[in-house]
Amino acid sequence: MINYFPFNNRYGRSEVLLLATTKNENRMITAISRDFHIKEHLLIFGRYPVPGKTKTRLIPALGALGAADCHRGLTEKTVAIAREFAYQTNLSKRLQNADSTSFDESQGEIPLHGKSSSLIAKLGFIPRPLGRCNVFKDTPPLATGSFIRFYHEGGTPVQFENWLGTGINFQRQSDGDLGQRMRSAIADSFKMGASKVVIVGTDLPDLTINHFKDAFHALDSHDLVLGPSMDGGYWLIGMTNEGLNIVRASETLNIGRTKDRLNKNLYMKVSVMTCFVNTFMVRCGQKQNLAPAVPVIKNENERAKTEKSKDIFDDIDWSTERVLTQTLAAAKRFNIKTCQLELLNDLDTPDDLAAHNNKKEHPPVISIIIPTLNEAARIAKVVDSARHPNSEIIVVDGGSCDDTVKIAEKKGVRVITGARGRAMQQNLGAKAARADIVLFLHADTLLPTGYAQSVFMTFLDKSKIAGAFSFNTDSSDPILKLIALGVNIRSRWFKMPYGDQALFFRRSFFESAGGFPESPIAEDLMLIRNLFIKKRQNRNKFAILPLAVTTSARRWLSIGILRTTAINLIILSAIMVGVSPAKVAGLYGKRKG
């Protein structure tokens, strides 16, 4: 069903608000005849969560990947709350006393017939969708994109859309210190017609929708609102366009930057000319050298204009405990009516983390499940390749008769014993996993260096639900190199990787799919067939990473390269056409010895 709410905007122009709900997503689409300006802007300042470059002060406590994952979660929470606030605000302001009419929606699009055509005839134009948003778990339908803007460091707008969804205007932060960047963002909103602007960061574990409501409500009677933080700064700043010099200060800053560039270019030209003159005088036997002059664009009124255009972002010692005190002093100096919100603690240091988590252990980012059966000769190397500060390793043994369990326990990893069968062992390990990402690693396969960051960055794209690594063997045999090339081509083109390419999934998706089918062989191929071959719409949701795992060539060398390859292709073809794995299990055979 899709509901439409006709109304007139403040310019007297006809508009319609379309609220659509489908099985997999909720979205609100605003369709208008002309551009419509929203008076309240919510700006989010954040960055792309690259391990090692995000939340660096938390790295000693969480590790680089853990700190980035912490930032990811906080950012997603902030955006989800912002969407909820925008949705509630837009509905309350736009739909008061509006009559709603319902009509059927066909496959998520508005058909141009029936009630839809009468709607178009009434409006005099075809509604133009402004984009859709992916809604995170436990959040209501989305809000219009022009209301929320995300100013970011690092990453690209496309990466942010893949991560946080469309419907939000993603823009790179301007140059300069934090004050200059906030000034520029606020000035942009005021130039677009906003009367109230609020900026919030993405490191607030205790943020709620009421904080946004309180901030905008406070701006009804104040020119400036600040959310003080326990470290001496502020977690939120909001202001109106009344009595503030934000736009003028921003323009003055841009003029100053232009003058600086002119001075720099002019100085470089004069320096080059001075160098030529000095060289000529030396060649002529004259010893005196000329010093390069430093031209300056002078303006007698420039100092007065600069002082007049200053605002509350000037003369602040950013990233210190004096930020709030200095900002309040500046507001008093400029006679700005100020309101302070609730005191909150942002998450920047290990002490902040300990206070927030109440000494709870931070969960791992990736859970690695290793099924084993008599793998004493290799389990130590496999565990070492998988070891990472933000990964948990779970060895699921199927009844080994050698020292596999003893070696794994000595390595300090978690060991679970269960019924024999790789599918059952892997499913058992997934149930015991604590991370949101599960990676299944065969006991004859080694993970590459940097695997954890690659998997983490892959799943920043919310459309990706599973993936695998590229394939390689530990043999230098040219035939096996050719086989590895063929495996990688098949994986990338047809999304048909083997299990020894270290399959990884979002745990929620893996659990909803029912895990690996309990099969004597080829449980990995059966799962891939069911999820990504039969369901073509899922193929683009599967990622093949350029990093390659290294699989032991022991089976090829034991049975024979050509024979092993032929058996693998027969089993693969049989599974893809629906032949029962039990009927071809005998082909798999056993290694000699």
Side-chain angles (χ1 to χ4, degrees):
M1 299 293 291
I2 183 168
N3 300 306
Y4 75 88
F5 305 88
F7 59 91
N8 292 328
N9 63 21
R10 61 190 180 97
Y11 302 107
R13 299 169 183 163
S14 298
E15 297 190 3
V16 59
L17 183 67
L18 302 177
L19 184 60
T21 303
T22 62
K23 180 179 179 181
N24 297 323
E25 65 180 350
N26 297 320
R27 69 187 188 274
M28 185 172 67
I29 306 170
T30 303
I32 56 177
S33 56
R34 294 185 183 181
D35 291 337
F36 179 76
H37 300 286
I38 297 178
K39 285 295 186 179
E40 296 180 351
H41 285 201
L42 178 59
L43 313 182
I44 303 174
F45 268 47
R47 64 171 63 233
Y48 202 65
V50 178
K53 298 181 179 181
T54 306
K55 289 290 180 188
T56 54
R57 286 187 287 177
L58 289 179
I59 291 179
L62 300 178
L65 187 61
D69 186 58
C70 178
H71 175 74
R72 174 201 59 78
L74 290 173
T75 302
E76 291 178 1
K77 176 183 177 179
T78 302
V79 171
I81 294 174
R83 290 190 193 281
E84 181 180 2
F85 168 74
Y87 168 72
Q88 293 184 9
T89 304
N90 285 340
L91 284 186
S92 63
K93 290 187 175 182
R94 309 264 180 241
L95 305 183
Q96 289 179 353
N97 302 322
D99 295 330
S100 64
T101 306
S102 298
F103 58 90
D104 291 334
E105 180 188 23
S106 175
Q107 297 180 352
E109 302 294 335
I110 306 171
L112 300 181
H113 57 78
K115 294 183 178 181
S116 297
S117 59
S118 63
L119 169 63
I120 294 172
K122 181 178 179 181
L123 295 175
F125 71 99
I126 297 177
R128 175 172 59 91
L130 297 183
R132 70 172 64 183
C133 266
N134 297 324
V135 181
F136 292 101
K137 186 177 179 181
D138 300 328
T139 60
L142 62 99
T144 54
S146 59
F147 184 83
I148 307 173
R149 300 216 307 280
F150 194 108
Y151 285 86
H152 62 87
E153 286 186 291
T156 65
V158 173
Q159 288 177 316
F160 275 92
E161 287 184 0
N162 291 337
W163 172 30
L164 298 174
T166 57
I168 293 179
N169 189 352
F170 295 100
Q171 299 183 26
R172 186 175 294 277
Q173 295 181 21
S174 62
D175 297 330
D177 59 28
L178 179 58
Q180 293 169 339
R181 285 177 276 151
M182 289 194 293
R183 177 194 292 122
S184 176
I186 293 174
D188 289 344
S189 290
F190 285 153
K191 290 176 183 178
M192 293 171 60
S195 60
K196 301 177 183 177
V197 180
V198 168
I199 295 181
V200 69
T202 55
D203 52 1
L204 300 165
D206 299 321
L207 182 69
T208 67
I209 189 174
N210 290 328
H211 291 120
F212 291 149
K213 293 180 179 179
D214 293 343
F216 280 102
H217 179 70
L219 291 176
D220 290 336
S221 55
H222 298 79
D223 292 326
L224 176 68
V225 59
L226 295 170
S229 59
M230 295 182 181
D231 60 2
Y234 51 79
W235 53 268
L236 177 145
I237 182 170
M239 59 184 62
T240 65
N241 199 13
E242 300 294 333
L244 298 180
N245 297 325
I246 299 300
V247 175
R248 182 168 55 188
S250 178
E251 292 173 348
T252 302
L253 178 64
N254 291 333
I255 293 174
R257 288 174 178 169
T258 301
K259 289 184 177 180
D260 289 341
R261 287 195 295 269
L262 290 174
N263 280 326
K264 182 178 181 181
N265 292 337
L266 189 56
Y267 174 75
M268 291 177 64
K269 292 179 181 179
V270 172
S271 298
V272 172
M273 291 299 299
T274 303
C275 181
F276 278 115
V277 172
N278 285 335
T279 302
F280 177 76
M281 295 177 68
V282 170
R283 288 183 178 180
C284 293
Q286 301 186 28
K287 297 181 179 181
Q288 59 268 33
N289 291 335
L290 297 177
V294 182
V296 178
I297 300 176
K298 295 182 179 180
N299 188 339
E300 295 179 358
N301 298 324
E302 184 174 348
R303 182 183 298 273
K305 288 183 179 179
T306 301
E307 290 296 329
K308 188 176 180 179
S309 63
K310 281 190 175 183
D311 58 24
I312 60 171
F313 295 120
D314 289 306
D315 303 325
I316 304 295
D317 299 326
W318 300 106
S319 301
T320 69
E321 69 280 358
R322 300 182 295 276
V323 171
L324 179 63
T325 302
Q326 293 175 344
T327 303
L328 291 174
K332 185 177 181 180
R333 186 169 62 251
F334 292 122
N335 196 26
I336 299 174
K337 192 175 182 180
T338 305
C339 174
Q340 293 191 49
L341 302 178
E342 177 187 0
L343 180 68
L344 292 182
N345 187 25
D346 46 15
L347 203 58
D348 287 326
T349 65
D351 291 339
D352 298 333
L353 183 68
H356 174 67
N357 289 342
N358 196 20
K359 298 184 179 180
K360 292 182 181 178
E361 182 182 359
H362 194 75
V365 179
I366 304 174
S367 293
I368 300 176
I369 293 97
I370 307 175
T372 59
L373 182 65
N374 298 326
E375 295 288 355
R378 292 189 56 87
I379 187 61
K381 291 184 179 180
V382 176
V383 168
D384 288 340
S385 74
R387 199 177 295 280
H388 188 276
N390 300 110
S391 297
E392 71 167 347
I393 302 174
I394 303 175
V395 172
V396 186
D397 191 71
S400 297
C401 300
D402 58 8
D403 293 332
T404 299
V405 172
K406 185 182 299 184
I407 296 173
E409 290 177 342
K410 188 176 181 180
K411 281 290 182 178
V413 300
R414 186 178 177 187
V415 178
I416 300 175
T417 57
R420 178 175 177 175
R422 191 156 57 192
M424 292 183 289
Q425 290 173 239
Q426 291 179 133
N427 289 337
L428 182 61
K431 291 180 180 179
R434 295 185 296 141
D436 292 332
I437 301 173
V438 289
L439 186 153
F440 299 96
L441 180 65
H442 289 185
D444 60 351
T445 301
L446 304 179
L447 286 172
T449 302
Y451 78 90
Q453 179 170 335
S454 294
V455 172
F456 174 79
M457 299 298 288
T458 297
F459 280 148
L460 283 181
D461 185 345
K462 292 298 178 181
S463 68
K464 303 302 181 184
I465 56 179
F469 291 83
S470 297
F471 178 79
N472 196 13
T473 69
D474 58 2
S475 173
S476 58
D477 189 292
I479 298 180
L480 284 177
K481 293 292 184 184
L482 185 62
I483 291 174
L485 176 63
V487 170
N488 289 326
I489 292 175
R490 186 196 69 236
S491 300
R492 288 188 174 89
W493 286 9
F494 302 105
K495 307 298 182 183
M496 294 169 54
Y498 287 138
D500 49 14
Q501 289 176 245
L503 302 176
F504 54 88
F505 302 84
R506 295 187 190 274
R507 191 177 68 175
S508 58
F509 172 75
F510 180 79
E511 291 174 348
S512 65
F516 286 101
E518 294 188 4
S519 168
I521 62 168
E523 72 289 336
D524 47 1
L525 294 177
M526 292 184 63
L527 181 63
I528 295 299
R529 183 197 66 176
N530 295 339
L531 297 181
F532 301 101
I533 304 301
K534 289 185 176 180
K535 300 179 180 179
R536 295 180 179 272
Q537 69 273 18
N538 285 343
R539 288 193 179 185
N540 291 332
K541 300 178 181 180
F542 194 96
I544 301 295
L545 304 188
L547 284 178
V549 295
T550 302
T551 297
S552 171
R554 60 183 180 179
R555 188 166 184 271
W556 279 279
L557 300 178
S558 175
I559 300 178
I561 296 177
L562 296 180
R563 181 182 177 187
T564 302
T565 302
I567 291 174
N568 289 342
L569 291 177
I570 292 173
I571 293 176
L572 172 64
S573 301
I575 296 299
M576 289 300 121
V577 298
V579 176
S580 172
K583 294 183 178 181
V584 293
L587 294 175
Y588 198 76
K590 298 181 179 180
R591 300 189 305 271
K592 292 181 180 180

